[in-house]
């Protein structure tokens, strides 16, 4: 399989570059900019992309790349900071834009030279997304100009003899109108990619790799019924068969019938499926706890305790399998971000149990690739295309202290909402009900009620880092509201959440 190497200089859009490359059926990996030359050689890329980054190439501690990368004989595409770095390292000059007019941020009309292989078939005036305060004042020997904007004469450069291309703008961002075409030209026209990245091949390779690693050993996997752990289970099962044990901890914070559905979906497969009913245990640890972060911590810890106990009962297990996916891998390589919520999922499992090693068979895949792999492995579509469900489950959708009665109320309301959404055929990325801690007065029949309020939440999002509330049809909201108030005891009011993220988050706690 051919590989493209993406060297990371700390830009905001680095994951997006990787996704755009893989979208075009070319495999790529993101590695730190200081990857040693020997490793780059071993990686054996058909092309290299330098990402953008927040630094300035002329500052003393600016991130650099081993200059040997320019001698490998493979094409290089530098994006923004990556373009400036290439220019500077090959003898050009980069400076801070002297006056504000030379800085460019946002959508910028740019003239592209269709004679440059990067812009073949894309020449002429077009909008690109710029975000730079520095610019190339002098282009290195051997390069020529390939694009310009009103403020920047050096919007793109190329040295076609050596296969080096640099763009000041971001082709990976949607706002760059012909960005996909440019990346396609780089991959297919310049790097001569064959487009050989397919899930069927990946599946075969991943199974082979697991077999080689595990040998005759046994592996334990925490199965939540979510997409990642389910796909990991299916892959592991195909690789090592009955030497896989899957543990499903039912913490009683699942949606209606979910525990039974997970059991039904997985106990028939040969997964040595173990269901642990730990509902009482979780509820008693959560009794009276209102603070969201404490709830999350308690659930995370209790999960680990239960899991450890089962692991000891099962005994003699060599490997622990985690459903880590590529965005987690890329993100964990970067600086500290503020903790908004401490995420708990079955991926955050113990170092405290005795395992020889941790296996992460999905660690190179993006979410949509995980779903595709699930289809390749024959998992049902309903499972593969599930919306995300947080590790702490309904505990963070019951605002304030959690009780069995409140969970039951929420489960009923949530099931109605989900049922009506699917009946109406509405495609939202995530939608659910939450039980607020608001009580309010209503009138039912001829009497006064003083009952709870349910909040409905539905969002459209690509990456869950930001999200827009869904503009659901009034008729649908009305049906859901009428059904919830009529069918769910103790609820007399239904609210629809019209806040986006930011400033709100998707979940309430
Ligand atoms: P927030 O509420 O942070 O949610 O906007 C973003 C996405 O993450 C999911 N989420 C979690 N997933 N463990 C998970 O596996 C968690 O602890 C957790 N908390 C939030 C949330 O459902 C949404 O999809």
């Amino acid at each position: 399989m051919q590989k493209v190497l993406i060297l990371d200089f700390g830009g905001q859009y680095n994951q997006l570059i990787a996704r755009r490359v893989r979208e075009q059926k070319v495999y790529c990996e993101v590695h730190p900019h200081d990857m040693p030359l020997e490793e780059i050689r071993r990686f054996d890329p058909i092309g290299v992309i330098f990402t953008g980054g927040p630094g300035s190439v002329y500052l003393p501690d600016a991130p650099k790349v081993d200059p040997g990368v320019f001698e490998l004989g493979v094409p290089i595409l530098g994006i923004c900071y990556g373009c400036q770095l290439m220019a500077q390292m090959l003898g050009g000059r980069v400076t801070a834009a002297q006056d504000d007019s030379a800085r460019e941020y946002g959508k910028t009309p740019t003239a592209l030279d269709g004679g440059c292989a990067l812009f073949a078939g894309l020449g002429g005036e077009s909008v690109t997304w710029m975000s730079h305060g520095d610019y190339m004042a002098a282009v290195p020997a051997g390069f020529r100009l390939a694009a310009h904007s009103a403020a920047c004469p050096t919007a793109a450069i190329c040295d076609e003899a050596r296969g080096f291309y640099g763009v000041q703008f971001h082709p990976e961002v949607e706002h760059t109108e012909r960005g996909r075409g440019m990346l396609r030209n780089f991959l297919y026209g310049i790097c001569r990619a064959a487009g050989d990245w397919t899930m069927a091949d990946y599946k075969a390779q991943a199974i082979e790799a697991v077999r080689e690693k595990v040998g005759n050993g046994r592996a334990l996997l925490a199965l939540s019924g979510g997409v990642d752990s389910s796909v990991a289970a299916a892959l592991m099962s195909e690789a090592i068969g009955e030497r896989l044990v899957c543990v499903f901890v039912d913490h009683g914070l699942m949606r209606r019938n979910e525990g039974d559905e997970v059991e039904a979906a997985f106990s028939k497969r040969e997964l040595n499926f173990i269901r642990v009913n730990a509902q009482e245990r979780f509820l008693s640890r959560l009794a009276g706890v209102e603070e969201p972060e404490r709830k999350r911590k308690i659930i995370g810890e209790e999960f680990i305790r239960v899991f450890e106990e089962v692991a000891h009962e099962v005994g003699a297990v060599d490997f622990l399998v985690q459903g880590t996916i590529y965005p987690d891998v890329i993100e964990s390589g970067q600086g500290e971000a503020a903790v908004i919520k401490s995420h708990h999922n079955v991926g955050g499992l113990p170092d405290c149990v005795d395992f020889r090693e941790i296996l992460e068979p999905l660690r190179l895949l993006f979410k949509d690739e995980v779903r595709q792999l699930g289809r390749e492995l024959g998992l049902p579509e309903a499972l593969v295309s599930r919306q995300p469900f947080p590790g702490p489950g309904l505990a963070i959708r019951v605002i304030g202290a959690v009780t069995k009665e409140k969970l039951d109320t929420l489960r009923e309301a949530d099931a109605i909402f989900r049922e009506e959404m699917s009946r109406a055929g509405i495609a939202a990325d995530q939608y659910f009900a939450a039980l607020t801690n608001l009580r309010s007065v209503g009138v039912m029949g001829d009497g006064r009620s003083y009952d709870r309020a349910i909040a409905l939440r539905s969002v459209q999002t690509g990456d869950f880092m930001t999200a827009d509330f869904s503009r659901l049809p009034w008729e649908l909201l009305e049906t859901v509201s009428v059904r919830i108030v009529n069918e769910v005891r103790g609820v007399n009011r239904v609210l629809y959440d019209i806040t986006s993220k930011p400033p709100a988050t998707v979940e309430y706690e």
Side-chain angles (χ1 to χ4, degrees):
M1 185 176 66
Q2 298 176 326
K3 294 184 280 188
V4 163
L5 174 63
I6 299 176
L7 291 178
D8 182 354
F9 292 92
Q12 294 173 55
Y13 306 123
N14 298 352
Q15 271 198 41
L16 202 55
I17 301 174
R19 302 208 51 172
R20 291 280 173 268
V21 170
R22 291 205 192 167
E23 225 172 69
Q24 313 236 19
K25 301 201 182 326
V26 179
Y27 182 74
C28 64
E29 286 182 21
V30 182
H31 286 270
H33 64 89
D34 55 0
M35 183 176 188
L37 189 60
E38 249 333 285
E39 269 182 47
I40 297 182
R41 282 215 181 87
R42 263 202 306 278
F43 187 86
D44 192 22
I46 59 163
V48 179
I49 298 179
F50 297 170
T51 74
S56 283
V57 296
Y58 46 78
L59 295 179
D61 55 352
K64 291 265 186 319
V65 63
D66 190 313
V69 74
F70 297 108
E71 310 297 329
L72 292 174
V74 299
I76 299 177
L77 171 63
I79 296 176
C80 198
Y81 178 92
C83 168
Q84 295 162 6
L85 182 74
M86 177 160 68
Q88 199 219 30
M89 288 182 74
L90 295 177
R93 192 162 54 85
V94 177
T95 59
Q98 288 305 321
D99 64 276
D100 284 351
S101 63
R103 296 199 183 112
E104 293 174 299
Y105 293 99
K107 291 182 182 174
T108 310
T110 309
L112 308 172
D113 172 2
C116 163
L118 192 63
F119 305 128
L122 310 169
E125 184 91 359
S126 163
V127 170
T128 68
W129 179 259
M130 298 273 191
S131 178
H132 64 106
D134 291 340
Y135 82 112
M136 287 174 285
V139 165
F143 279 79
R144 71 180 175 87
L145 299 178
H148 64 270
S149 63
C152 181
T154 52
I157 55 171
C158 62
D159 174 346
E160 307 220 64
R162 287 189 284 177
F164 296 161
Y165 298 81
V167 288
Q168 196 51 83
F169 50 83
H170 289 270
E172 70 278 19
V173 171
E174 292 287 351
H175 303 305
T176 296
E177 283 172 354
R178 298 173 195 163
R180 277 198 170 82
M182 296 172 199
L183 289 173
R184 188 168 179 81
N185 280 345
F186 179 68
L187 298 169
Y188 287 88
I190 296 165
C191 300
R192 306 262 167 236
D196 60 359
W197 166 239
T198 69
M199 252 328 131
D201 290 346
Y202 180 81
K203 176 186 136 190
Q205 283 166 18
I207 288 174
E208 213 28 63
V210 168
R211 283 188 184 142
E212 201 166 298
K213 183 131 213 177
V214 176
N216 289 322
R218 294 168 75 208
L220 192 69
L221 181 145
L223 183 67
S224 69
V227 178
D228 302 342
S229 66
S230 302
V231 173
L235 181 79
M236 289 298 300
S237 164
E238 203 152 320
I240 64 166
E242 65 200 18
R243 282 174 292 117
L244 173 70
V245 179
C246 290
V247 180
F248 166 53
V249 177
D250 185 348
H251 51 22
L253 307 167
M254 310 289 274
R255 289 164 289 192
R256 192 170 75 183
N257 299 334
E258 199 168 15
D260 295 342
E261 281 166 16
V262 173
E263 181 165 355
F266 290 97
S267 58
K268 288 195 288 290
R269 297 168 176 263
E270 287 146 0
L271 295 175
N272 294 317
F273 179 88
I274 300 176
R275 174 174 179 171
V276 187
N277 289 317
Q279 293 91 330
E280 310 264 297
R281 204 170 150 162
F282 277 86
L283 266 186
S284 71
R285 287 287 322 276
L286 285 170
V289 179
E290 293 185 2
E291 209 279 311
E293 277 301 289
R294 270 204 68 212
K295 283 191 196 173
R296 284 174 170 273
K297 294 252 157 59
I298 288 172
I299 295 166
E301 275 169 28
E302 197 61 17
F303 190 91
I304 290 173
R305 294 287 92 78
V306 175
F307 190 80
E308 279 178 330
E309 288 169 23
V310 183
H312 281 124
E313 275 165 35
V314 171
V317 174
D318 314 273
F319 296 88
L320 176 69
V321 188
Q322 298 198 348
T324 318
I325 68 173
Y326 205 38
D328 310 333
V329 174
I330 301 181
E331 264 156 31
S332 62
Q334 299 188 356
E336 296 274 299
V339 175
I340 308 292
K341 298 175 184 185
S342 43
H343 271 212
H344 155 66
N345 55 37
V346 291
L349 276 176
D351 345 333
C352 27
V353 191
D354 263 349
F355 293 105
R356 186 139 63 81
E357 228 175 300
I358 291 184
L359 278 185
E360 297 174 319
L362 311 179
R363 77 190 311 273
L364 295 175
L365 301 184
F366 287 111
K367 190 82 175 186
D368 50 334
E369 293 173 327
V370 173
R371 294 190 205 274
Q372 230 175 306
L373 177 61
R375 290 182 192 110
E376 281 295 328
L377 287 159
L379 289 179
E381 187 57 36
L383 209 156
V384 167
S385 57
R386 287 187 84 171
Q387 54 169 314
F389 185 64
L394 299 185
I396 57 168
R397 295 180 180 172
V398 167
I399 298 172
V402 178
T403 63
K404 167 117 187 9
E405 176 242 328
K406 286 187 196 170
L407 286 169
D408 287 339
T409 303
L410 175 56
R411 267 191 272 267
E412 293 313 304
D414 181 67
I416 291 172
F417 185 32
R418 287 188 295 125
E419 218 172 277
E420 293 299 334
M421 284 287 278
S422 75
R423 202 194 309 272
I426 293 196
D429 295 304
Q430 194 171 6
Y431 50 95
F432 55 87
L435 183 66
T436 72
N437 51 2
L438 168 74
R439 298 193 100 185
S440 68
V441 174
V443 51
M444 278 179 123
D446 288 327
R448 175 186 191 268
S449 66
Y450 184 57
D451 281 334
R452 297 188 195 284
I454 283 284
L456 305 177
R457 180 97 169 116
S458 174
V459 295
Q460 312 299 130
T461 172
D463 55 11
F464 295 90
M465 309 283 281
T466 61
D468 242 357
F469 71 86
S470 315
R471 273 65 173 171
L472 295 184
W474 287 115
E475 298 70 27
L476 167 71
L477 288 169
E478 184 180 11
T479 309
V480 175
S481 163
V482 169
R483 277 197 60 194
I484 289 178
V485 172
N486 281 322
E487 295 174 34
V488 185
R489 279 176 71 99
V491 175
N492 67 352
R493 201 173 283 267
V494 177
L495 312 168
Y496 185 56
D497 186 341
I498 54 166
T499 342
S500 291
K501 172 185 180 178
T505 52
V506 175
E507 303 288 347
Y508 282 80
E509 292 194 332

